[in-house]
Amino acid sequence: MNVEIDLRDLARDIAREAGDLARRRRAEGVSIAASKSTLADIVTEADREVEAFIRARLEAERPDDGFLGEESTASESRSGITWVVDPIDGTVNYASGMPSYAVSIAAVRGGVTFATWEALAGAVDVPALGETFDAARGEGSRVASASGTSRLHVASEYPAGALIGTGLGYDPATHAGDIATMQAVMPLARDVRRIGAAAVDLSYVAAGRLDAYFERGLKSWDLAAGSLIVAEAGGSVVELPEDPFGRRMTIAAHADLAASIADRVRSVN
Ligand code: LIP
């Protein structure tokens, strides 16, 4: 079997185990450990525990790989492969008891940013909803659930307008600009959804449940797995330059729709 499939299957297995741990901790009750960039940007004890679990499992299986996670110190790669991990993406949803949160695990080669990495494999586990999305470079994308495993394909037709996911940053100072961007994109949309977990948004674009997704300020760990899952489902992931707050725009959709959204984003930024 090729290395991308091996990495995908490892990411999938660990994401499922980590997702089960996150779900059990949620049922036991969640405690906020700290806030980060702003008071709204929280981390729970479960975020830290789940990341430590994932890191230990990866080190046991592949000790020479590097690690970049949201909640712990990065480690350099000796193998050329780095794992980019968000232990609980959608932390505010998780802390609030809402089901849209995910474990996101990706293996990349080269750099650790969207512009510099070559994504090889990724998995997004949504434990509260019983779905695991995954992809291996050149091998397509899949979703697995109790009803089986199926291939993913992005949507390419939206006669009533596109159903578009988006998000707002934790910093209130960025909200006016984000809302202006949403207003500029709305002529393309039938409606918008604010799911609150980028890895879920991206997986839903890959599955054709959302027609597109855009958001400024995503971190590498938010989008590493989901962007590969979109690309391997026939979609396009575009990154636009930083705004005055230093936040790059990520757009995911079928290539034509992604280009139309990018044009409208540029018209207001
Ligand atoms: C979240 C993203 C989401 C964004 C939130 C937050 P976290 O990541 O997945 O798309 O809108 O502001 O950044 O902080 O839950 O890992």
Side-chain angles (χ1 to χ4, degrees), residues 45 55 59 208 215 264:
E45 294 297 347
R55 191 164 194 159
E59 283 172 357
E215 184 165 354
R264 289 183 172 275

Side-chain angles (χ1 to χ4, degrees), residues 70 86 88-91 167-168 170 194 196-198 213 215 218 222:
E70 182 170 15
D86 192 338
I88 299 177
D89 186 37
T91 298
L168 299 169
Y170 286 123
R194 201 302 189 224
Y213 165 64
E215 184 165 354
L218 297 182
D222 292 325

Side-chain angles (χ1 to χ4, degrees), residues 63-247:
D64 294 331
D65 292 356
F67 187 90
L68 173 67
E70 182 170 15
E71 309 304 348
S72 61
T73 306
S75 60
E76 288 298 315
S77 174
R78 297 184 297 277
S79 67
I81 289 172
T82 298
W83 293 92
V84 184
V85 172
D86 192 338
I88 299 177
D89 186 37
T91 298
V92 173
N93 288 349
Y94 181 75
S96 306
M98 289 186 273
S100 295
Y101 65 90
V103 175
S104 180
I105 300 176
V108 303
R109 192 163 41 207
V112 288
T113 65
F114 178 77
T116 60
W117 66 45
E118 179 186 45
L120 301 176
V124 172
D125 184 70
V126 190
L129 300 176
E131 290 187 311
T132 307
F133 302 82
D134 68 17
R137 187 180 189 87
E139 300 293 336
S141 298
R142 310 176 304 179
V143 60
S145 66
S147 53
T149 299
S150 53
R151 286 279 171 187
L152 300 178
H153 304 282
V154 297
S156 57
E157 293 180 352
Y158 353 88
L163 186 61
I164 301 178
T166 190
L168 299 169
Y170 286 123
D171 179 355
T174 65
H175 289 171
D178 288 344
I179 290 167
T181 300
M182 207 182 297
Q183 192 161 12
V185 173
M186 281 312 289
L188 300 173
R190 71 182 296 168
D191 202 347
V192 294
R193 293 290 183 272
R194 201 302 189 224
I195 292 174
V200 177
D201 285 294
L202 291 163
S203 297
Y204 285 5
V205 169
R209 299 176 188 173
L210 285 175
D211 298 316
Y213 165 64
F214 68 91
E215 184 165 354
R216 281 198 181 278
L218 297 182
K219 305 293 190 296
S220 291
W221 43 75
D222 292 325
L223 70 95
S227 57
L228 179 65
I229 292 168
V230 169
E232 286 296 323
S236 174
V237 182
V238 173
E239 190 171 67
L240 300 182
E242 294 179 354
D243 70 352
F245 295 93
R247 304 177 306 155

